[in-house]
Amino acid sequence: MYYTMEKETLPREALEQVQLRRLRDVCGRVYANVPFYRNRLEQCGITPADVTSLDVLRRLPFTEKQDLRDHYPYDLFAVPMENVVRIHASSGTTGKSIVAGYTRYDLDIWSEVMARSLCSAGVTRHDLVHVGYGYGLFTGGLGAHYGAELLGCTVIPASGGATKRQVHLMRDFRATVLCCTPSYALHLHDTGMELGIDMKKLPLRVGVFGAEPWSESMRADMENKMGLDALNIYGLSEITGPGVAMECLKAKQGMHIQEDFFLPEIIDPVSCEPLPPGSVGELVITTLTKEAMPLLRYRTRDLTSLDYTPCPCGRVFARITRIMGRSDDMLIIRGVNVFPQQIESLLMECEGITPHYQLVVSREGNLDALEVQVEFAEGTLDDADEVRKFQARERNIQKAIKEFLGVSAKVRLVAPRSIQRSEGKAVRIIDTREMT
Ligand code: AMP
Ligand code: ZN
């Protein structure tokens, strides 16, 4: 039931001692090795020697996604490149992705938190784990993979795509655990039904679903349709990947954040002031042990709250509630992070179109669909030749979005002035996906 029982059930005072020791250590490492942090800490008037209690945390500087972009690709690394053994990155146009680096030790810790996560879901070495998260720069696939292997499970590295084949493999290999995004799990289920393969009749018993928001009613639906316990897992590449927080099977109520490695806070996204347990705000995480790319007070932009009340499973770690939204405009389309500005910059490179656009996100079946509506410029549709050019333009934008952001979108050029103008901030996103 526990992967590392002693660490996961430490009394809180002892846990806080570990956190404090590690916080001082990480501050020392970034102060010595990362000019960006040395400057920031100096601006805050703090040296590593000042970190004598956890209260100092609230005086440390925040780190934003933009800081990672500004230091692309390696300038926030705290170790020489020869000690970095893996790179991951979240999608984005060249020069704008978020890069994460890992030392051997970082990978070991990541596997450990993932193994702990699987254990808390009731997974054991006797399980066959079908990993349907994408393998590659995205952390989902490899993260789940190494954690499951460390636990001693039999791992089936299916990755994303080739859905019919995956369903056949799940049946033939007798997978007992499915790791993938919740929307892909539903897609696998529906594809199975079309093929006459009912997941409910397979040995499948646990689903480890994450990387995108989902709801309690989706959980009920999946458990009912697929005959498994559907559990929520949270992570982000900047911090490590999947396994930062995971629900336990025992309580199924909130995700235990692995506090001995990731120190959580909740802040008011506007004032940046820390909020008390139970209040909803933005999750901020300080990595306590990461070597390659330690982050102080990283603003995840994910909205949630922290619950320190004891959990029936016995774990000491606080729980975060389901992610309730974001304090920025990042969209997650089929697991890929997409910012409207990224689409905007691709649109701006095209001739004959205007900066007036809207992103319409919906669900087709169980999969997210993105439509980009953008106005063409006045006077560009006067003859047949122009119509052909117009259609080619739609295809080109579609191709560019797929190529640079890794997400399929339908592009529709619409008449000048047909997108509603707003008096304040432009309404860039219409999200009709049902989350409740
Ligand atoms: P990435 O770094 O590409 O893995 O994306 C990380 C982001 O995915 C997080 O900041 C969240 O916004 C989102 N995410 C990951 N896991 C979950 C989850 N279980 N529920 C809701 N959103 C999630
Ligand atoms: Zn628990």
Side-chain angles (χ1 to χ4, degrees):
M1 188 189 168
Y2 299 104
Y3 182 69
T4 45
M5 178 160 173
E6 223 170 277
K7 296 187 199 170
E8 291 167 76
T9 59
L10 268 187
R12 180 147 290 274
E13 306 74 63
L15 173 62
E16 286 180 357
Q17 285 309 311
V18 172
Q19 289 174 326
L20 176 60
R21 188 163 30 82
R22 290 181 172 173
L23 182 65
R24 194 179 313 128
D25 178 66
V26 71
C27 285
R29 283 185 288 115
V30 295
Y31 189 83
N33 301 314
V34 187
F36 164 80
Y37 276 123
R38 176 187 282 261
N39 289 338
R40 288 278 173 100
L41 286 166
E42 277 171 358
Q43 278 161 17
C44 296
I46 290 184
T47 67
D50 297 323
V51 185
T52 50
S53 96
L54 285 177
D55 295 336
V56 175
L57 186 64
R58 56 170 62 200
R59 290 175 47 209
L60 298 181
F62 289 108
T63 311
E64 307 255 3
K65 224 182 234 288
Q66 191 57 42
D67 297 321
L68 272 69
R69 292 204 182 98
D70 293 345
H71 294 85
Y72 174 90
Y74 303 142
D75 287 354
L76 289 185
F77 285 12
V79 295
M81 262 331 256
E82 68 258 33
N83 294 355
V84 175
V85 298
R86 175 99 65 81
I87 299 283
H88 280 281
S90 74
S91 67
T93 40
T94 319
K96 284 196 181 145
S97 356
I98 299 291
V99 175
Y102 304 77
T103 63
R104 180 74 259 159
Y105 177 71
D106 293 334
L107 290 183
D108 289 347
I109 299 293
W110 184 12
S111 300
E112 178 174 334
V113 293
M114 195 59 219
R116 283 184 185 177
S117 299
L118 289 166
C119 256
S120 75
V123 177
T124 71
R125 54 191 297 275
H126 301 289
D127 278 298
L128 276 88
V129 179
H130 182 105
V131 181
Y133 286 116
Y135 281 63
L137 287 173
F138 172 59
T139 52
L142 288 167
H145 183 107
Y146 282 103
E149 266 189 13
L150 181 64
L151 187 56
C153 309
T154 308
V155 185
I156 303 151
S159 193
T163 308
K164 284 186 183 157
R165 178 153 183 260
Q166 295 216 22
V167 175
H168 283 129
L169 293 180
M170 286 171 72
R171 179 196 59 193
D172 298 348
F173 293 174
R174 297 188 286 278
T176 54
V177 178
L178 172 63
C179 298
C180 63
T181 60
S183 54
Y184 194 59
L186 281 167
H187 187 53
L188 283 166
H189 168 268
D190 293 354
T191 307
M193 292 316 260
E194 283 163 24
L195 297 171
I197 299 172
D198 184 353
M199 300 263 163
K200 227 175 177 163
K201 303 209 174 104
L202 302 184
L204 206 57
R205 58 182 195 86
V206 177
V208 178
F209 302 140
E212 66 183 10
W214 54 305
S215 62
E216 273 309 311
S217 59
M218 267 175 87
R219 161 153 43 210
D221 185 41
M222 277 194 273
E223 295 195 330
N224 189 19
K225 276 186 177 155
M226 302 177 74
L228 44 66
D229 282 297
L231 298 166
N232 200 358
I233 185 162
Y234 171 82
L236 60 169
S237 15
E238 299 92 311
I239 297 301
T240 206
V244 171
M246 171 79 199
E247 243 173 3
C248 60
L249 179 64
K250 186 109 185 193
K252 265 194 194 174
Q253 207 161 63
M255 299 177 271
H256 289 283
I257 179 155
Q258 317 243 13
E259 281 189 81
D260 49 348
F261 298 121
F262 314 113
L263 189 56
E265 296 169 84
I266 298 290
I267 61 160
D268 177 320
V270 180
S271 70
C272 291
E273 284 303 314
L275 295 174
S279 316
V280 175
E282 183 183 321
L283 178 65
V284 169
I285 300 177
T286 298
T287 64
L288 291 174
T289 58
K290 258 179 63 182
E291 291 181 336
M293 200 178 78
L295 294 177
L296 301 184
R297 301 189 88 193
Y298 181 68
R299 294 190 60 179
T300 66
R301 298 286 176 177
D302 291 316
L303 300 176
T304 179
S305 65
L306 275 167
D307 176 4
Y308 287 89
T309 57
C311 181
C313 79
R315 284 181 179 76
V316 62
F317 304 141
R319 285 173 282 169
I320 54 170
T321 58
R322 242 174 223 295
I323 305 299
M324 298 170 196
R326 295 200 38 100
S327 64
D328 62 9
D329 52 6
M330 185 178 93
L331 286 167
I332 302 183
I333 314 280
R334 299 191 184 194
V336 180
N337 303 347
V338 177
F339 285 92
Q341 306 90 289
Q342 294 176 311
I343 297 207
E344 187 172 306
S345 60
L346 292 175
L347 294 178
M348 292 309 99
E349 286 168 21
C350 294
E351 227 185 287
I353 63 160
T354 70
H356 299 294
Y357 69 96
Q358 225 159 28
L359 310 180
V360 183
V361 193
S362 58
R363 240 179 236 267
E364 285 172 7
N366 294 308
L367 293 180
D368 300 328
L370 171 64
E371 183 177 276
V372 180
Q373 297 179 353
V374 54
E375 290 178 12
F376 53 86
E378 304 257 14
T380 50
L381 249 196
D382 297 339
D383 58 35
D385 199 31
E386 286 296 343
V387 172
R388 265 193 304 279
K389 276 198 213 151
F390 177 91
Q391 288 163 340
R393 243 171 248 155
E394 285 185 338
R395 281 195 302 274
N396 287 344
I397 302 173
Q398 222 153 277
K399 219 172 112 210
I401 294 176
K402 179 75 196 168
E403 202 169 299
F404 287 108
L405 305 183
V407 66
S408 306
K410 182 167 177 254
V411 173
R412 202 151 65 80
L413 293 186
V414 297
R417 287 190 301 278
S418 62
I419 290 176
Q420 204 180 351
R421 302 292 191 263
S422 129
E423 300 198 333
K425 256 164 92 79
V427 181
R428 295 291 189 211
I429 299 166
I430 299 175
D431 198 338
T432 61
R433 290 175 294 186
E434 209 44 73
M435 276 301 157
T436 49

